[in-house]
Amino acid sequence: MKLFGTDGVRGKAGEFLDSFLAMRLAMAAGIYFKDKSITNNILVGKDTRRSGYMIENAIVSGLTSIGYNVIQIGPMPTPAIAFLTEDMRCDAGIMISASHNPYYDNGIKFFDAHGNKLNEDIEKKIEEIYFDDKLIQDSKINMDKIGQAKRIDDVIGRYIVSIKNSFPKDLTLKSLRVVLDVAHGAAYKVAPTVFRELGAEVIVINDKPNGLNINENCGALHPSNLATEVVKFRADVGFAFDGDADRLVVVDEKGEVAHGDSLLGVLALYLKEQGKLNSSVVATIMSNGALREFLNKHKISLETCSVGDKYVLEKLRSIGGNFGGEQSGHIIFSDYAKTGDGLIAALQFSALMLSKKKTASMILGQIKPYPQLLTNLKISEKKDLEEIKGLKELKKDLESKNINYLFRYSGTENLIRLLLESKDSKFLEKEMKNVANFFKKALNG
């Protein structure tokens, strides 16, 4: 059984991700980090899901059973865990969240002592430890060697200070009216506090988490409600976060939801104009062709990587870059954060509006993304794409019609994800039917 997907371990809480798996996984991770231990402390945070209580207690039990001390900080955004793990000199950080998923799912994400997400090699080592019964058994300790756990409620201030430090000192948000959709999630306290302290007039929606309403018809995956509120309150801009606040969706003053690649493009140009863009921008293989054209027009190069913000981070580190992201809203300013941070991205876009003295729609309107169609197709087996008969001919046919394509398997489910993109949308639906039928026959028999 494979535990780790594209972003930690994730699944239905109480079924795949039950208390037994969480406890044993925490033990396995603790055993791995023990070899590199400096403080013997591990930080644990969570979002607002009810199942977080179950999983948190199981993780604490697993870590203390092998001698680790645990610092519990309660509901906080994922990027806050990355920041605080390093800031508080912990050996590792653990975030309990399924990000944008419904409340009934949950997940466990790990960070190393520097606040970086773990690479696949480390995840593989933790999986190997997880399935090693003897090593797990031998790592249990007793008596005074058992670890301790303590809850700290005032670390939110440290994260708020770090977030505010990303905002230009010569600017204030006093002239902006902002609507924040915090998705009944981990940012429900932090986001309004940051924007108010920087002077904005703030209207907050979906800030009453009850453990079961996280991401429910709200937040980054459902920005239409935010769009309505932006127009209703005549706000300058709206920002929607997901359940753990590591992604951002922007709504302009007209109630139009910004395309993720448009947001990436204008923020990259803003960094370049300030002389703060270190190298190429990094985006995933799903990025829109219009993003590359916009960046190239402004003499900014683009490099691509696999889907997942941890792959964006790995690519940025390998090229010495400091900006990148995903069209889904994970935007990484690595000068300010170790992972995608919706709050930092929202503040940077606010700074862009203020410094240019332009509306959100004027700024975002600089990029017109090409039409894309995405289909997730259930399959019975994952054959090597290179060996599928007729696929080369299908690709050549799409290329002859100037249609860009991306075919990739899901990392955690029996799905193939089919993406088509063209400057002319009228061909896409017909071509997607052909492509979907091709893969149905090839992968389902």
Side-chain angles (χ1 to χ4, degrees):
M1 184 175 69
K2 184 169 165 42
L3 297 177
F4 286 89
T6 53
D7 195 14
V9 176
R10 190 178 298 186
K12 193 162 282 190
E15 292 184 16
F16 168 73
L17 183 48
D18 60 13
S19 54
F20 297 100
L21 185 148
M23 182 174 71
R24 190 176 175 109
L25 182 62
M27 293 174 76
I31 292 165
Y32 173 81
F33 287 112
K34 271 281 183 186
D35 291 341
K36 301 147 197 67
S37 179
I38 299 171
T39 63
N40 202 46
N41 292 327
I42 287 183
L43 187 79
V44 177
K46 60 183 180 179
D47 64 22
T48 56
R49 291 162 216 267
R50 181 182 289 181
S51 59
Y53 294 104
M54 172 188 74
I55 295 167
E56 180 181 27
N57 288 329
I59 286 172
V60 171
S61 179
L63 290 173
T64 54
S65 75
I66 62 167
Y68 253 115
N69 297 322
V70 183
I71 300 169
Q72 298 164 264
I73 62 171
M76 287 285 278
T78 290
I81 307 307
F83 165 74
L84 290 166
T85 297
E86 182 177 43
D87 192 60
M88 297 176 73
R89 308 298 190 270
C90 293
D91 291 346
I94 298 175
M95 177 64 180
I96 303 162
S97 174
S99 191
H100 59 277
N101 286 32
Y103 82 89
Y104 48 75
D105 291 333
N106 216 326
I108 302 173
K109 306 178 188 184
F110 295 94
F111 298 89
D112 66 18
H114 302 291
N116 297 314
K117 287 188 175 181
L118 308 187
N119 62 39
E120 287 181 333
D121 291 338
I122 297 174
E123 290 176 345
K124 190 176 179 184
K125 286 174 185 172
I126 292 173
E127 276 194 16
E128 287 170 358
I129 296 169
Y130 178 96
F131 292 110
D132 188 333
D133 290 339
K134 186 175 186 304
L135 181 53
I136 291 284
Q137 189 63 36
D138 291 348
S139 298
K140 294 176 184 176
I141 45 84
N142 55 30
M143 300 176 68
D144 63 335
K145 292 185 176 66
I146 292 172
Q148 302 176 76
K150 62 179 177 180
R151 189 172 292 279
I152 302 177
D153 296 319
D154 59 357
V155 293
I156 189 171
R158 292 194 193 201
Y159 178 58
I160 287 171
V161 168
S162 77
I163 291 290
K164 287 166 65 178
N165 283 340
S166 71
F167 189 72
K169 296 285 191 293
D170 59 332
L171 294 177
T172 173
L173 295 178
K174 280 183 181 175
S175 61
L176 286 189
R177 179 181 291 175
V178 179
V179 183
L180 304 177
D181 183 346
V182 293
H184 300 301
Y188 80 103
K189 288 182 181 176
V190 175
T193 303
V194 167
F195 274 85
R196 284 181 180 130
E197 287 187 4
L198 288 170
E201 181 185 348
V202 180
I203 296 121
V204 190
I205 61 173
N206 301 311
D207 61 340
K208 303 289 187 297
N210 62 16
L212 307 178
N213 59 1
I214 188 170
N215 298 317
E216 186 179 15
N217 296 318
C218 60
L221 260 67
H222 305 279
S224 57
N225 291 336
L226 173 62
T228 300
E229 297 300 300
V230 167
V231 173
K232 174 182 164 186
F233 288 104
R234 297 192 298 280
D236 297 294
V237 67
F239 297 121
F241 307 99
D242 65 340
D244 67 338
D246 65 351
R247 68 165 74 181
L248 172 74
V249 168
V250 176
V251 173
D252 70 23
E253 78 285 358
K254 297 176 180 177
E256 294 293 322
V257 179
H259 191 285
D261 283 328
S262 298
L263 185 58
L264 271 176
V266 298
L267 287 171
L269 180 58
Y270 176 53
L271 280 179
K272 186 192 178 190
E273 289 173 345
Q274 297 176 89
K276 292 181 178 178
L277 187 64
N278 287 356
S279 68
S280 302
V281 171
V282 175
T284 74
I285 50 178
M286 289 187 71
S287 60
N288 196 282
L291 172 63
R292 185 181 293 275
E293 284 191 10
F294 175 81
L295 294 175
N296 289 346
K297 186 175 80 174
H298 293 283
K299 297 184 169 49
I300 300 170
S301 58
L302 176 69
E303 297 210 23
T304 57
C305 63
S306 298
V307 175
D309 66 329
K310 74 176 179 182
Y311 299 115
V312 177
L313 278 160
E314 285 174 12
K315 188 78 168 180
L316 284 172
R317 280 197 288 271
S318 71
I319 66 171
N322 65 337
F323 180 74
E326 297 186 279
Q327 143 188 136
S328 61
H330 289 119
I331 300 175
I332 299 162
F333 291 87
S334 61
D335 290 342
Y336 307 123
K338 294 296 179 75
T339 185
D341 191 321
L343 266 168
I344 285 176
L347 287 180
Q348 290 300 310
F349 186 77
S350 300
L352 169 55
M353 288 174 63
L354 291 163
S355 62
K356 292 290 184 183
K357 296 184 173 61
K358 288 183 178 177
T359 63
S361 62
M362 289 172 68
I363 291 166
L364 292 162
Q366 295 175 86
I367 304 178
K368 296 280 190 288
Y370 302 142
Q372 288 183 333
L373 265 187
L374 176 65
T375 295
N376 292 322
L377 185 67
K378 286 190 176 180
I379 54 172
S380 54
E381 62 174 320
K382 294 180 179 179
K383 292 181 185 175
D384 184 344
L385 290 177
E386 296 299 316
E387 295 178 7
I388 295 177
K389 191 176 178 182
L391 184 55
K392 283 183 182 176
E393 289 75 16
L394 176 68
K395 288 179 176 179
K396 280 182 183 174
D397 181 56
L398 291 171
E399 287 163 9
S400 71
K401 296 169 182 172
N402 293 316
I403 295 174
N404 297 323
Y405 54 83
L406 175 65
F407 311 136
R408 67 183 185 92
Y409 292 119
S410 164
T412 55
E413 301 171 89
N414 269 359
L415 292 175
I416 186 166
R417 305 193 195 281
L418 311 172
L419 177 71
L420 298 182
E421 174 189 288
S422 172
K423 291 183 181 181
D424 191 341
S425 62
K426 66 184 178 185
F427 298 117
L428 286 183
E429 286 194 24
K430 180 186 171 188
E431 293 300 330
M432 181 58 85
K433 281 180 185 175
N434 293 338
V435 169
N437 285 333
F438 173 85
F439 281 106
K440 277 177 189 173
K441 289 175 185 172
L443 301 175
N444 289 326

